[in-house]
Amino acid sequence: MIKLDFANTTQEIIQEEGLDLRKSFSDYAPKIREIITNLNMNKDKPGSWLQWMNLGYSEETVWYVKEFAAMVEGRFDNILVLGIGGSALGAMALCEALLKPYWNLLDKEKRENLPRIFFLDNIDPDQINALLDILDLRKTLVNVITKSGSTAETMSQFMIIKDRLYELLGDDYRKNVVATTDKQTGILRQLANEEGYKTFVVPDDVGGRFSVFSAVGLVPLALVGIDIDEITRGIKIMDLALKNTDIHNNIAAQSALIHYLMDKEKGKYISVMMPYSSRLKYVSDWYVQLWAESLAKEYDRSGNRINNGPTPIKALGATDQHSQIQLYNEGKNDKVITFIRVDEFDCELNIPNIFEYTGVNYLGGKSINKLLNAEADATAAALCDYRRPNLTIHLPKINEYYLAQLFYMFEMQTAIIGELYNINAFNQPGVEQAKNYAYALMGRLGYEESAQELREKIDRSRKIMEQ
Ligand code: PA5
């Protein structure tokens, strides 16, 4: 199992900046028990948005995804995923972590005949155009993913690509499309029915940022040969562990409570996610969305305006030691830093014993692995000297089983801290507002009033600048 080390958040290590966790764990034990019990009790309640807790047990989905992957095996050179936010970040992070580094640059043999994979999660015209120049769309399977079925970024990309596919393949183009969307509603569902696309379902009551273990994430992962049975095994074992209502035995509850108390009692509301592995770089991107969209809310569940805002930041070790660590050590003491440390890398890379009579000879004969983990330990120790709280998650290896544990643990941690804050962690009114304004600006039917309102706002700003 993955492990959490929170010693560096305690008073014993960072004095007055730390927490008295013996006392806090005992004070909050009843509250945590209640939260975990309620989450498990309500997970099947429609409208509670807790269906993500059941995804590890959805054998049917795993079976259909594997069947589809087997059916298209060898037919495509490329997978192109169209999606944004929760519809892209999870699979992107897992592919980056689980595929061999530089996957798309490897030749077919080294990829064991599996396709390359590309994610388009933005609408930068230059980027889209450049990608379309590289890809042979005839040999590309396009997985368009949108739960709502109408997100402008994803649907505009799909419209461009569908048009090109049709030009190349005529009616057969539909064999190159697989859509992941709501089972009944939305424009993409309607199109899929009319055009006859192969489809997968985003289950009800699973929000985008909690959807990585549904077909949203599993389809792209399976298409590039990632072992989704091992993913399921990892989720289940972690789910079992996190059903434990005793905070002393539940790492998601421990980390959630520490972050909550650091924010409420110590003014440390910024959560830095810093894996020490380039392969885990996009885990931080996924975490940032999960934390930000789930926990930043204007109102609590009782209707009080609280503007809750624990702020996530992404960092990468060792790279950001030379960029952000100065801030974390000597800047405002308002952050909690979480390191992810990999115990065993896939390979051991030794530094040759050359340059013997120079100042770098201490490196010779050691491994880069040792250096990276020594830097993680050193950074944590230095943070403690400056009395900065930090936690370390130990990942035994980078593989499907442990990453599934990690992702599920973060999801549960987010759900628990959401309850501690007394907010709804599963909606995102702030995102919807901007989406609606974008629809209005692009002239979508039904958004005329918002468009008028927006034009007035834009005029007001313009006038201020002219003055
Ligand atoms: O987490 C979320 O709910 C969002 O990030 C959505 O995933 C994102 O806005 C994309 O929405 P959709 O899947 O409807 O295209």
Side-chain angles (χ1 to χ4, degrees), residues 434-452:
K435 270 192 183 184
N436 292 339
Y437 278 159
Y439 293 148
L441 282 177
M442 292 299 283
R444 185 170 172 184
L445 218 66
Y447 290 79
E448 296 76 4
E449 227 172 87
S450 298
Q452 180 58 27

Side-chain angles (χ1 to χ4, degrees), residues 107-287:
D107 61 35
K108 241 180 158 176
E109 209 187 321
K110 288 207 173 116
R111 282 187 275 115
E112 291 166 19
N113 277 328
L114 287 158
R116 302 183 294 174
I117 186 158
F118 300 86
F119 290 85
L120 263 188
D121 71 335
N122 203 355
I123 41 170
D124 180 320
D126 294 337
Q127 185 199 30
I128 298 174
N129 210 34
L131 185 62
L132 292 178
D133 271 351
I134 298 171
L135 293 183
D136 178 355
L137 281 180
R138 279 172 294 217
K139 292 186 184 155
T140 301
L141 178 62
V142 180
N143 184 194
V144 50
I145 309 175
T146 159
K147 179 180 169 68
S148 61
S150 58
T151 301
E153 293 88 343
T154 306
M155 289 310 286
S156 60
Q157 292 167 348
F158 184 54
M159 286 154 89
I160 293 170
I161 287 160
K162 188 251 154 173
D163 193 46
R164 300 214 182 176
L165 272 174
Y166 188 76
E167 247 174 54
L168 290 167
L169 297 168
D171 280 341
D172 263 358
Y173 91 92
R174 42 179 64 84
K175 292 185 186 150
N176 290 39
V177 176
V178 50
T180 309
T181 190
D182 187 83
K183 70 172 179 299
Q184 267 173 333
T185 60
I187 298 166
L188 184 59
R189 172 54 62 185
Q190 192 189 327
L191 282 169
N193 291 343
E194 283 166 15
E195 301 280 311
Y197 304 148
K198 167 79 188 162
T199 61
F200 284 93
V201 168
V202 188
D204 289 342
D205 284 347
V206 176
R209 57 193 175 275
F210 287 87
S211 69
V212 57
F213 297 129
S214 72
V216 169
L218 296 184
V219 172
L221 299 183
L223 287 170
V224 287
I226 289 171
D227 187 342
I228 62 174
D229 286 324
E230 274 298 285
I231 293 216
T232 303
R233 199 167 72 85
I235 309 168
K236 278 191 200 151
I237 193 107
M238 186 49 83
D239 182 51
L240 200 68
L242 301 183
K243 278 193 162 63
N244 195 321
T245 56
D246 177 1
I247 186 163
H248 298 92
N249 295 312
N250 186 315
I251 58 172
Q254 290 166 355
S255 183
L257 184 65
I258 289 167
H259 279 89
Y260 174 75
L261 293 175
M262 281 293 178
D263 177 2
K264 291 291 177 193
E265 293 180 2
K266 305 282 175 187
K268 304 183 202 311
Y269 67 100
I270 297 174
S271 166
V272 179
M273 183 54 60
M274 190 165 184
Y276 269 73
S277 155
S278 292
R279 292 169 68 184
L280 302 180
K281 185 174 179 176
Y282 293 103
V283 173
S284 303
D285 287 62
W286 174 82
Y287 172 82

Side-chain angles (χ1 to χ4, degrees), residues 334-353:
D334 52 5
K335 302 166 197 71
V336 180
I337 292 136
T338 303
F339 298 112
I340 306 175
R341 192 185 192 281
V342 181
D343 293 337
E344 192 191 326
F345 287 87
D346 282 1
C347 75
E348 176 101 2
L349 193 61
N350 289 315
I351 308 165
N353 215 342

Side-chain angles (χ1 to χ4, degrees), residues 58-77:
S58 183
E59 280 162 28
E60 211 187 353
T61 307
V62 171
W63 192 88
Y64 279 122
V65 171
K66 277 171 32 185
E67 188 206 33
F68 176 65
M71 219 169 68
V72 297
E73 199 182 323
R75 271 182 46 204
F76 297 101
D77 287 348

